[in-house]
């Protein structure tokens, strides 16, 4: 059975985004990046620890009526570097993209240093430089290891780019 | 010479540093060379935290350049008390002045403020982050006493929260300097500074005991270990006691060791050391004026 066949076990969506090949166990963090907690009424399907030829196990997230902003994709690349993003219109995949690691990510992440000026109600978006093994706050210099990045996603959500 | 903001010592190249130090030395030798150069210009002092030395030496420096200063005053009596953001505060003050000096309790505050103003902004301390103008006067003092190449510098005390330490460590990577860091385990250099030193290829070692390294040092830079960094008074007293120096502790040091301290000190350097030729901390504080004159002259576009 191919990867795609297994993917079909999760219901198809009409318009929206399928984020596939997500590192197993990271699906809920992907939802956090998208600012989705169910309260917004989005139709969401999540597959966790689904068998994958490529990754062994993977997660899949399907979101109806939503595309990803560049900042969301940038952070996604940190927690799920193998992810593919499929944009769906009328049940067809019209675009398929791999995530790419960027030099920096803006917004989405919160600096873990409580004394950082980005946590002080100033008119500023967070910015983190991407290092080999994590990220670093461009304001205060605090570093976050790659494995800990998911803990610092802004759970208030970005609410960007509705379809 | 610097023309922009001064936010972090990590942004300073060796050429930047040497240009400021050379100009400071020239001013020190003959203050007349910059007499009245910035008449009619205004430096805004925005200190969200108390300061004596830094604020007064910037004020003195600007006045000796012929300019004037305006002072935001204490936070308690300002609009900040009403909840105004730092971004708004500096945008307003920018309209009154030709350059800004900012001290603020949050790390990253100077970078944020610099994004909202067009006039040059100097970071005069952002929380436990950086204090680059202090570093310039520290380097000036080191250069006068030991030179800046092929030397061994020990930096001791609160390395975790000490912003003067972070800035100095960054800047020393531009020179041929062996750096030793001496502190209790709980106050060692933060990970991001260690990362930068490693990336810069600096020669760095960490110690918990000064005796291990003291005989090798050309410079010993002492900083204050603050009471509030420890949950218990007893623990603070024990730790602070281990990192206090007097003439007995310094017995194994080279005769020409330079002892420095960004001040204020409490009791980490015994007053008896003041009387020795090793004590450089008061010279260091006095160097703040010519060095900040040189810095401001560059930022305000005085010296090419």
């Amino acid at each position: 059975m191919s990867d795609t066949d297994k993917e079909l076990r999760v219901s198809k969506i009409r318009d929206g985004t399928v984020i596939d090949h997500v590192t197993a166990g990271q699906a809920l963090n992907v939802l956090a990046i998208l600012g989705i907690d169910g309260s917004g009424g989005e139709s969401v399907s999540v597959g966790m620890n689904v068998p994958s030829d490529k990754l062994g196990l993977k997660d899949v997230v399907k979101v109806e009526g939503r595309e990803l902003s560049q900042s969301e994709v940038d952070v996604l690349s940190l927690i799920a570097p193998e992810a593919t993003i499929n944009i769906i219109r009328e049940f067809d995949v019209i675009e398929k993209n791999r995530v790419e690691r960027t030099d920096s990510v803006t917004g989405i992440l919160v600096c873990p240093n409580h004394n950082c000026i980005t946590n002080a109600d100033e008119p500023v978006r967070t910015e983190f430089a991407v290092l080999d093994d994590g990220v670093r706050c461009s304001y205060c210099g605090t570093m976050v290891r790659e494995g800990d990045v998911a803990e610092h996603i802004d759970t208030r959500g970005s609410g960007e780019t509705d379809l | 010479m610097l023309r922009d903001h001064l936010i972090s010592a990590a942004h300073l190249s060796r050429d930047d540093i040497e240009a400021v130090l050379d100009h400071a030395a020239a001013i020190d030798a003959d203050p007349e060379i910059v007499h009245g150069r910035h008449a009619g210009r205004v430096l805004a002092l925005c200190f969200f935290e108390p300061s004596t030395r830094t604020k007064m030496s910037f004020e003195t420096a600007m006045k000796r350049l012929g300019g004037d200063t305006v002072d935001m005053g204490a936070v308690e009596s300002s609009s900040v008390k009403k909840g105004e953001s730092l971004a708004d505060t500096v945008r307003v003050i920018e309209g009154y002045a030709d350059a800004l000096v900012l001290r603020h309790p949050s790390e990253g505050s100077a970078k944020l403020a610099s994004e909202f103003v067009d006039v040059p902004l100097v970071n005069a301390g952002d929380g436990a982050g950086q204090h680059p103008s202090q570093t310039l006067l520290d380097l000036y003092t080191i250069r006068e006493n030991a030179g800046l190449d092929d030397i061994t510098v020990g930096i001791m005390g609160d390395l975790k929260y000490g912003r003067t330490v972070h800035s100095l460590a960054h800047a020393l990577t531009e020179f041929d300097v062996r750096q030793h860091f001496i502190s209790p385990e709980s106050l060692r250099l933060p990970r991001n500074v260690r990362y930068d030193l490693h990336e810069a290829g600096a020669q760095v070692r960490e110690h918990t005991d000064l005796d291990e390294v003291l005989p090798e040092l050309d410079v010993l830079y002492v900083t204050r270990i603050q009471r509030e960094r420890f949950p218990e008074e007893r623990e603070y007293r024990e730790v602070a006691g281990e990192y206090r120096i007097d003439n007995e502790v310094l017995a194994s040091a080279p005769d020409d060791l330079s002892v420095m301290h960004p001040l204020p000190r409490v009791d980490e350097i015994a007053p008896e050391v003041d009387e020795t030729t090793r004590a450089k901390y008061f010279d260091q504080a006095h160097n703040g004026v010519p060095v900040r004159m040189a810095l401001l002259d560059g930022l305000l576009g005085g010296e090419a």
Side-chain angles (χ1 to χ4, degrees):
Chain A
M1 193 180 271
S2 76
D3 222 28
T4 319
D5 290 337
K6 285 170 190 150
E7 191 180 298
L8 293 176
R9 290 180 181 174
V10 184
S11 62
K12 277 196 160 193
I13 60 173
R14 180 178 185 136
D15 294 300
T17 305
V18 175
I19 305 163
D20 198 359
H21 302 110
V22 172
T23 311
Q26 292 293 335
L28 295 180
N29 289 326
V30 171
L31 292 177
I33 290 171
L34 302 182
I36 293 173
D37 63 3
S39 63
E42 305 91 342
S43 180
V44 178
S45 307
V46 175
M48 295 178 84
N49 298 315
V50 179
S52 158
D53 295 339
K54 199 165 126 191
L55 301 175
L57 290 174
K58 67 174 183 180
D59 287 1
V60 184
V61 175
K62 301 188 177 193
V63 188
E64 190 81 47
R66 178 82 147 72
E67 287 185 7
L68 273 63
S69 70
Q70 190 57 48
S71 323
E72 290 166 339
V73 174
D74 290 344
V75 180
L76 185 63
S77 73
L78 297 174
I79 66 160
E82 303 294 326
T84 47
I85 296 169
N86 303 282
I87 298 176
I88 314 292
R89 299 264 164 81
E90 285 297 323
F91 299 109
D92 286 330
V93 176
I94 60 151
E95 202 178 315
K96 193 178 185 96
N97 295 308
R98 291 279 307 270
V99 297
E100 280 180 34
R101 218 173 155 86
T102 51
D103 294 338
S104 68
V105 293
T106 52
I108 316 282
L109 295 179
V110 177
C111 183
N113 172 10
H114 297 302
N115 203 41
C116 176
I117 194 71
T118 61
N119 287 318
D121 257 346
E122 293 289 336
V124 61
R125 297 183 79 198
T126 61
E127 182 186 301
F128 288 80
V130 177
L131 312 173
D132 288 344
D133 178 35
V135 297
R136 177 182 199 163
C137 175
S138 303
Y139 287 86
C140 74
T142 297
M143 297 169 85
V144 179
R145 284 182 217 277
E146 189 135 326
D148 299 333
V149 166
E151 291 168 28
H152 302 291
I153 294 166
D154 184 353
T155 48
R156 288 168 296 177
S158 59
E160 294 176 70
T161 328
D162 283 333
L163 274 177
Chain B
M1 187 72 95
L2 291 164
R3 290 267 186 233
D4 205 353
H5 307 299
L6 177 57
I7 306 300
S8 165
H11 302 151
L12 292 172
S13 69
R14 183 175 177 136
D15 285 349
D16 291 333
I17 293 166
E18 288 185 332
V20 174
L21 302 194
D22 290 346
H23 190 38
I27 292 170
D28 214 0
D30 180 11
E32 284 299 307
I33 63 171
V34 288
H35 181 76
R37 179 172 281 169
H38 295 289
R41 300 182 100 174
V42 174
L43 178 69
L45 304 170
C46 310
F47 281 71
F48 291 75
E49 270 186 345
S51 162
T52 308
R53 273 149 288 278
T54 303
K55 188 165 148 183
M56 287 186 73
S57 74
F58 266 113
E59 197 167 357
T60 306
M62 189 60 184
K63 288 180 173 167
R64 290 210 176 140
L65 290 168
D68 209 340
T69 59
V70 288
D71 187 341
M72 185 183 89
V75 167
E76 291 68 30
S77 59
S78 73
S79 57
V80 177
K81 191 74 177 168
K82 299 174 189 161
E84 186 176 52
S85 68
L86 173 62
D88 278 3
T89 304
V90 295
R91 267 186 289 198
V92 170
I93 294 175
E94 172 188 35
Y96 309 153
D98 299 284
L100 264 63
V101 178
L102 175 72
R103 170 167 294 183
H104 192 279
S106 296
E107 287 95 66
S109 51
K111 174 176 160 59
L112 176 123
S114 73
E115 291 168 358
F116 288 91
V117 298
D118 291 323
V119 300
L121 182 144
V122 177
N123 179 7
D126 60 330
Q130 293 269 328
H131 192 356
S133 71
Q134 173 74 38
T135 294
L136 290 168
L137 71 92
D138 292 342
L139 294 171
Y140 185 85
T141 309
I142 295 172
R143 190 171 82 164
E144 275 196 325
N145 288 286
L148 271 170
D149 276 307
D150 192 22
I151 58 166
T152 304
V153 175
I155 304 181
M156 183 169 86
D158 182 351
L159 310 183
K160 185 175 182 182
Y161 298 100
R163 56 193 171 205
T164 64
V165 171
H166 306 158
S167 284
L168 181 59
H170 277 127
L172 288 176
T173 65
E174 294 289 318
F175 298 88
D176 178 14
V177 175
R178 294 168 291 279
Q179 299 193 57
H180 293 268
F181 295 94
I182 307 119
S183 73
E185 185 66 30
S186 61
L187 294 178
R188 68 188 287 224
L189 275 185
R191 183 163 156 249
N192 62 325
V193 178
R194 282 183 278 131
Y195 175 89
D196 287 336
L197 298 183
H198 178 75
E199 287 286 295
Q203 308 171 65
V204 171
R205 281 171 56 201
E206 294 180 272
H207 313 261
T208 52
D209 187 356
L210 176 63
D211 291 339
E212 284 174 17
V213 68
L214 184 59
E216 299 170 38
L217 299 181
D218 297 296
V219 175
L220 175 60
Y221 190 97
V222 183
T223 65
R224 183 159 53 103
I225 293 179
Q226 296 183 54
R227 165 70 188 92
E228 57 266 34
R229 304 300 180 206
F230 292 86
E232 287 181 33
E233 179 75 20
R234 186 183 54 81
E235 194 186 346
Y236 160 71
R237 286 188 179 283
E238 276 178 20
V239 169
E242 285 178 42
Y243 297 92
R244 194 169 289 146
I245 62 164
D246 54 24
N247 286 337
E248 191 185 335
V249 171
L250 293 177
S252 65
D255 290 340
D256 60 355
L257 174 77
S258 296
V259 177
M260 296 173 58
H261 192 300
L263 303 181
R265 71 172 155 176
V266 181
D267 55 2
E268 55 277 11
I269 302 177
E272 65 184 20
V273 180
D274 302 358
E275 309 306 320
T276 70
T277 55
R278 286 167 169 160
K280 305 296 181 196
Y281 26 92
F282 293 114
D283 291 343
Q284 183 186 353
H286 296 158
N287 289 336
V289 173
V291 169
R292 289 184 168 118
M293 286 172 77
L295 174 66
L296 290 173
D297 193 28
L299 290 171
L300 291 166
E303 178 74 22

